[in-house]
mmCIF file of all heavy atoms in Angstrom:
data_model
loop_
_atom_site.group_PDB
_atom_site.id
_atom_site.type_symbol
_atom_site.label_atom_id
_atom_site.label_comp_id
_atom_site.label_asym_id
_atom_site.label_seq_id
_atom_site.Cartn_x
_atom_site.Cartn_y
_atom_site.Cartn_z
ATOM 1 N N HIS A 325 -39.928 11.231 -21.153
ATOM 2 C CA HIS A 325 -39.464 10.657 -22.412
ATOM 3 C C HIS A 325 -40.701 10.056 -23.087
ATOM 4 O O HIS A 325 -41.334 9.145 -22.555
ATOM 5 C CB HIS A 325 -38.420 9.570 -22.150
ATOM 6 C CG HIS A 325 -38.029 8.808 -23.388
ATOM 7 N ND1 HIS A 325 -36.846 9.017 -24.061
ATOM 8 C CD2 HIS A 325 -38.669 7.814 -24.068
ATOM 9 C CE1 HIS A 325 -36.780 8.193 -25.098
ATOM 10 N NE2 HIS A 325 -37.885 7.457 -25.128
ATOM 11 N N PHE A 326 -41.034 10.578 -24.259
ATOM 12 C CA PHE A 326 -42.246 10.188 -24.972
ATOM 13 C C PHE A 326 -41.847 9.601 -26.317
ATOM 14 O O PHE A 326 -41.157 10.246 -27.101
ATOM 15 C CB PHE A 326 -43.128 11.424 -25.152
ATOM 16 C CG PHE A 326 -44.353 11.230 -25.996
ATOM 17 C CD1 PHE A 326 -45.205 10.168 -25.783
ATOM 18 C CD2 PHE A 326 -44.674 12.150 -26.983
ATOM 19 C CE1 PHE A 326 -46.350 9.997 -26.547
ATOM 20 C CE2 PHE A 326 -45.817 12.006 -27.756
ATOM 21 C CZ PHE A 326 -46.656 10.924 -27.542
ATOM 22 N N GLY A 327 -42.257 8.365 -26.577
ATOM 23 C CA GLY A 327 -41.874 7.725 -27.830
ATOM 24 C C GLY A 327 -43.023 6.977 -28.475
ATOM 25 O O GLY A 327 -44.006 6.620 -27.823
ATOM 26 N N MET A 328 -42.893 6.731 -29.769
ATOM 27 C CA MET A 328 -43.869 5.928 -30.510
ATOM 28 C C MET A 328 -43.129 4.930 -31.386
ATOM 29 O O MET A 328 -42.322 5.309 -32.230
ATOM 30 C CB MET A 328 -44.775 6.787 -31.396
ATOM 31 C CG MET A 328 -45.802 5.956 -32.194
ATOM 32 S SD MET A 328 -46.547 6.851 -33.576
ATOM 33 C CE MET A 328 -47.687 7.924 -32.719
ATOM 34 N N GLN A 329 -43.418 3.659 -31.155
ATOM 35 C CA GLN A 329 -42.870 2.604 -32.002
ATOM 36 C C GLN A 329 -43.980 2.091 -32.917
ATOM 37 O O GLN A 329 -45.113 1.902 -32.482
ATOM 38 C CB GLN A 329 -42.327 1.446 -31.153
ATOM 39 C CG GLN A 329 -41.677 0.353 -31.974
ATOM 40 C CD GLN A 329 -41.370 -0.898 -31.154
ATOM 41 O OE1 GLN A 329 -41.892 -1.076 -30.071
ATOM 42 N NE2 GLN A 329 -40.533 -1.756 -31.690
ATOM 43 N N ILE A 330 -43.641 1.873 -34.188
ATOM 44 C CA ILE A 330 -44.602 1.378 -35.170
ATOM 45 C C ILE A 330 -44.337 -0.096 -35.444
ATOM 46 O O ILE A 330 -43.185 -0.511 -35.625
ATOM 47 C CB ILE A 330 -44.516 2.181 -36.484
ATOM 48 C CG1 ILE A 330 -44.802 3.663 -36.221
ATOM 49 C CG2 ILE A 330 -45.489 1.633 -37.514
ATOM 50 C CD1 ILE A 330 -46.180 3.948 -35.654
ATOM 51 N N ILE A 331 -45.419 -0.876 -35.489
ATOM 52 C CA ILE A 331 -45.311 -2.318 -35.687
ATOM 53 C C ILE A 331 -46.049 -2.742 -36.963
ATOM 54 O O ILE A 331 -47.249 -2.521 -37.097
ATOM 55 C CB ILE A 331 -45.922 -3.085 -34.494
ATOM 56 C CG1 ILE A 331 -45.288 -2.654 -33.182
ATOM 57 C CG2 ILE A 331 -45.795 -4.591 -34.713
ATOM 58 C CD1 ILE A 331 -43.838 -2.994 -33.050
ATOM 59 N N PHE A 332 -45.326 -3.324 -37.903
ATOM 60 C CA PHE A 332 -45.932 -3.925 -39.087
ATOM 61 C C PHE A 332 -45.874 -5.447 -39.032
ATOM 62 O O PHE A 332 -46.658 -6.127 -39.676
ATOM 63 C CB PHE A 332 -45.226 -3.445 -40.357
ATOM 64 C CG PHE A 332 -45.430 -1.994 -40.657
ATOM 65 C CD1 PHE A 332 -44.433 -1.074 -40.391
ATOM 66 C CD2 PHE A 332 -46.627 -1.535 -41.196
ATOM 67 C CE1 PHE A 332 -44.612 0.272 -40.655
ATOM 68 C CE2 PHE A 332 -46.819 -0.189 -41.464
ATOM 69 C CZ PHE A 332 -45.814 0.723 -41.193
ATOM 70 N N ASP A 333 -44.899 -5.950 -38.262
ATOM 71 C CA ASP A 333 -44.679 -7.389 -38.149
ATOM 72 C C ASP A 333 -44.303 -7.688 -36.694
ATOM 73 O O ASP A 333 -43.598 -6.882 -36.065
ATOM 74 C CB ASP A 333 -43.553 -7.807 -39.096
ATOM 75 C CG ASP A 333 -43.321 -9.313 -39.095
ATOM 76 O OD1 ASP A 333 -44.029 -10.010 -39.851
ATOM 77 O OD2 ASP A 333 -42.453 -9.781 -38.337
ATOM 78 N N PRO A 334 -44.769 -8.808 -36.129
ATOM 79 C CA PRO A 334 -44.459 -9.130 -34.727
ATOM 80 C C PRO A 334 -42.975 -9.090 -34.398
ATOM 81 O O PRO A 334 -42.589 -8.776 -33.264
ATOM 82 C CB PRO A 334 -45.031 -10.543 -34.565
ATOM 83 C CG PRO A 334 -46.146 -10.607 -35.553
ATOM 84 C CD PRO A 334 -45.672 -9.811 -36.728
ATOM 85 N N SER A 335 -42.129 -9.396 -35.376
ATOM 86 C CA SER A 335 -40.686 -9.401 -35.133
ATOM 87 C C SER A 335 -40.142 -8.018 -34.808
ATOM 88 O O SER A 335 -39.039 -7.881 -34.276
ATOM 89 C CB SER A 335 -39.946 -9.955 -36.354
ATOM 90 O OG SER A 335 -40.085 -9.079 -37.468
ATOM 91 N N GLN A 336 -40.923 -6.970 -35.129
ATOM 92 C CA GLN A 336 -40.445 -5.610 -34.913
ATOM 93 C C GLN A 336 -40.643 -5.124 -33.473
ATOM 94 O O GLN A 336 -40.135 -4.070 -33.110
ATOM 95 C CB GLN A 336 -41.150 -4.657 -35.882
ATOM 96 C CG GLN A 336 -40.790 -4.907 -37.330
ATOM 97 C CD GLN A 336 -41.537 -3.995 -38.280
ATOM 98 O OE1 GLN A 336 -42.762 -3.913 -38.271
ATOM 99 N NE2 GLN A 336 -40.804 -3.291 -39.118
ATOM 100 N N LYS A 337 -41.381 -5.867 -32.684
ATOM 101 C CA LYS A 337 -41.604 -5.434 -31.302
ATOM 102 C C LYS A 337 -40.294 -5.350 -30.530
ATOM 103 O O LYS A 337 -39.983 -4.344 -29.913
ATOM 104 C CB LYS A 337 -42.579 -6.386 -30.599
ATOM 105 C CG LYS A 337 -44.024 -6.236 -31.047
ATOM 106 C CD LYS A 337 -44.954 -7.098 -30.199
ATOM 107 C CE LYS A 337 -46.402 -6.896 -30.596
ATOM 108 N NZ LYS A 337 -47.321 -7.688 -29.740
ATOM 109 N N ASP A 338 -39.558 -6.442 -30.535
ATOM 110 C CA ASP A 338 -38.301 -6.494 -29.790
ATOM 111 C C ASP A 338 -37.144 -6.953 -30.660
ATOM 112 O O ASP A 338 -36.066 -7.230 -30.161
ATOM 113 C CB ASP A 338 -38.435 -7.454 -28.596
ATOM 114 C CG ASP A 338 -39.556 -7.047 -27.653
ATOM 115 O OD1 ASP A 338 -39.540 -5.899 -27.185
ATOM 116 O OD2 ASP A 338 -40.440 -7.885 -27.408
ATOM 117 N N GLY A 339 -37.367 -6.998 -31.945
ATOM 118 C CA GLY A 339 -36.359 -7.549 -32.836
ATOM 119 C C GLY A 339 -35.337 -6.544 -33.316
ATOM 120 O O GLY A 339 -35.126 -5.479 -32.722
ATOM 121 N N ASN A 340 -34.714 -6.878 -34.440
ATOM 122 C CA ASN A 340 -33.608 -6.078 -34.965
ATOM 123 C C ASN A 340 -34.037 -5.059 -36.011
ATOM 124 O O ASN A 340 -33.192 -4.516 -36.715
ATOM 125 C CB ASN A 340 -32.550 -7.010 -35.577
ATOM 126 C CG ASN A 340 -31.942 -7.923 -34.543
ATOM 127 O OD1 ASN A 340 -31.837 -7.555 -33.372
ATOM 128 N ND2 ASN A 340 -31.537 -9.112 -34.951
ATOM 129 N N ASN A 341 -35.324 -4.828 -36.131
ATOM 130 C CA ASN A 341 -35.789 -3.848 -37.126
ATOM 131 C C ASN A 341 -36.897 -2.970 -36.549
ATOM 132 O O ASN A 341 -37.935 -2.783 -37.162
ATOM 133 C CB ASN A 341 -36.256 -4.542 -38.406
ATOM 134 C CG ASN A 341 -37.257 -5.661 -38.139
ATOM 135 O OD1 ASN A 341 -37.740 -5.819 -37.020
ATOM 136 N ND2 ASN A 341 -37.581 -6.413 -39.160
ATOM 137 N N GLN A 342 -36.649 -2.437 -35.368
ATOM 138 C CA GLN A 342 -37.630 -1.577 -34.715
ATOM 139 C C GLN A 342 -37.745 -0.239 -35.445
ATOM 140 O O GLN A 342 -36.764 0.287 -35.968
ATOM 141 C CB GLN A 342 -37.250 -1.344 -33.261
ATOM 142 C CG GLN A 342 -37.278 -2.599 -32.412
ATOM 143 C CD GLN A 342 -36.895 -2.340 -30.966
ATOM 144 O OE1 GLN A 342 -36.948 -1.208 -30.499
ATOM 145 N NE2 GLN A 342 -36.486 -3.382 -30.260
ATOM 146 N N ILE A 343 -38.956 0.302 -35.447
ATOM 147 C CA ILE A 343 -39.222 1.607 -36.070
ATOM 148 C C ILE A 343 -39.709 2.567 -34.994
ATOM 149 O O ILE A 343 -40.759 2.352 -34.386
ATOM 150 C CB ILE A 343 -40.290 1.508 -37.177
ATOM 151 C CG1 ILE A 343 -39.859 0.538 -38.277
ATOM 152 C CG2 ILE A 343 -40.577 2.884 -37.767
ATOM 153 C CD1 ILE A 343 -40.940 0.281 -39.316
ATOM 154 N N TRP A 344 -38.947 3.626 -34.758
ATOM 155 C CA TRP A 344 -39.356 4.672 -33.816
ATOM 156 C C TRP A 344 -39.517 5.983 -34.584
ATOM 157 O O TRP A 344 -38.749 6.287 -35.493
ATOM 158 C CB TRP A 344 -38.318 4.827 -32.704
ATOM 159 C CG TRP A 344 -38.282 3.647 -31.787
ATOM 160 C CD1 TRP A 344 -37.516 2.520 -31.918
ATOM 161 C CD2 TRP A 344 -39.072 3.458 -30.612
ATOM 162 N NE1 TRP A 344 -37.775 1.651 -30.898
ATOM 163 C CE2 TRP A 344 -38.719 2.191 -30.069
ATOM 164 C CE3 TRP A 344 -40.031 4.235 -29.942
ATOM 165 C CZ2 TRP A 344 -39.301 1.686 -28.905
ATOM 166 C CZ3 TRP A 344 -40.604 3.736 -28.787
ATOM 167 C CH2 TRP A 344 -40.247 2.474 -28.267
ATOM 168 N N ILE A 345 -40.534 6.748 -34.198
ATOM 169 C CA ILE A 345 -40.901 7.966 -34.919
ATOM 170 C C ILE A 345 -40.403 9.211 -34.189
ATOM 171 O O ILE A 345 -40.467 9.283 -32.955
ATOM 172 C CB ILE A 345 -42.443 8.046 -35.061
ATOM 173 C CG1 ILE A 345 -42.968 6.816 -35.809
ATOM 174 C CG2 ILE A 345 -42.860 9.331 -35.774
ATOM 175 C CD1 ILE A 345 -42.442 6.660 -37.202
ATOM 176 N N ASP A 346 -39.921 10.172 -34.954
ATOM 177 C CA ASP A 346 -39.580 11.483 -34.393
ATOM 178 C C ASP A 346 -40.890 12.166 -33.982
ATOM 179 O O ASP A 346 -41.723 12.497 -34.831
ATOM 180 C CB ASP A 346 -38.850 12.322 -35.444
ATOM 181 C CG ASP A 346 -38.349 13.663 -34.897
ATOM 182 O OD1 ASP A 346 -38.855 14.110 -33.846
ATOM 183 O OD2 ASP A 346 -37.467 14.258 -35.539
ATOM 184 N N MET A 347 -41.077 12.396 -32.672
ATOM 185 C CA MET A 347 -42.357 12.866 -32.153
ATOM 186 C C MET A 347 -42.435 14.380 -31.946
ATOM 187 O O MET A 347 -43.409 14.873 -31.377
ATOM 188 C CB MET A 347 -42.658 12.170 -30.824
ATOM 189 C CG MET A 347 -42.821 10.653 -30.945
ATOM 190 S SD MET A 347 -44.190 10.207 -32.031
ATOM 191 C CE MET A 347 -45.587 10.574 -30.956
ATOM 192 N N TYR A 348 -41.428 15.123 -32.407
ATOM 193 C CA TYR A 348 -41.429 16.571 -32.165
ATOM 194 C C TYR A 348 -42.636 17.252 -32.815
ATOM 195 O O TYR A 348 -43.383 17.986 -32.162
ATOM 196 C CB TYR A 348 -40.141 17.191 -32.684
ATOM 197 C CG TYR A 348 -40.102 18.693 -32.536
ATOM 198 C CD1 TYR A 348 -40.024 19.286 -31.281
ATOM 199 C CD2 TYR A 348 -40.151 19.524 -33.649
ATOM 200 C CE1 TYR A 348 -39.988 20.662 -31.132
ATOM 201 C CE2 TYR A 348 -40.120 20.899 -33.519
ATOM 202 C CZ TYR A 348 -40.042 21.468 -32.261
ATOM 203 O OH TYR A 348 -40.026 22.839 -32.116
ATOM 204 N N ALA A 349 -42.850 17.022 -34.100
ATOM 205 C CA ALA A 349 -43.970 17.665 -34.803
ATOM 206 C C ALA A 349 -45.307 17.168 -34.261
ATOM 207 O O ALA A 349 -46.251 17.954 -34.097
ATOM 208 C CB ALA A 349 -43.872 17.408 -36.304
ATOM 209 N N ILE A 350 -45.389 15.884 -33.973
ATOM 210 C CA ILE A 350 -46.637 15.333 -33.436
ATOM 211 C C ILE A 350 -46.947 15.934 -32.070
ATOM 212 O O ILE A 350 -48.096 16.289 -31.782
ATOM 213 C CB ILE A 350 -46.551 13.795 -33.348
ATOM 214 C CG1 ILE A 350 -46.609 13.200 -34.760
ATOM 215 C CG2 ILE A 350 -47.687 13.230 -32.494
ATOM 216 C CD1 ILE A 350 -46.481 11.691 -34.801
#
Side-chain angles (χ1 to χ4, degrees):
H325 172 103
F326 174 49
M328 180 197 285
Q329 183 190 16
I330 301 299
I331 305 295
F332 292 103
D333 183 85
S335 66
Q336 294 178 306
K337 287 186 177 182
D338 302 305
N340 297 329
N341 51 9
Q342 295 180 19
I343 301 174
W344 291 90
I345 301 299
D346 185 341
M347 297 299 285
Y348 177 68
I350 288 178

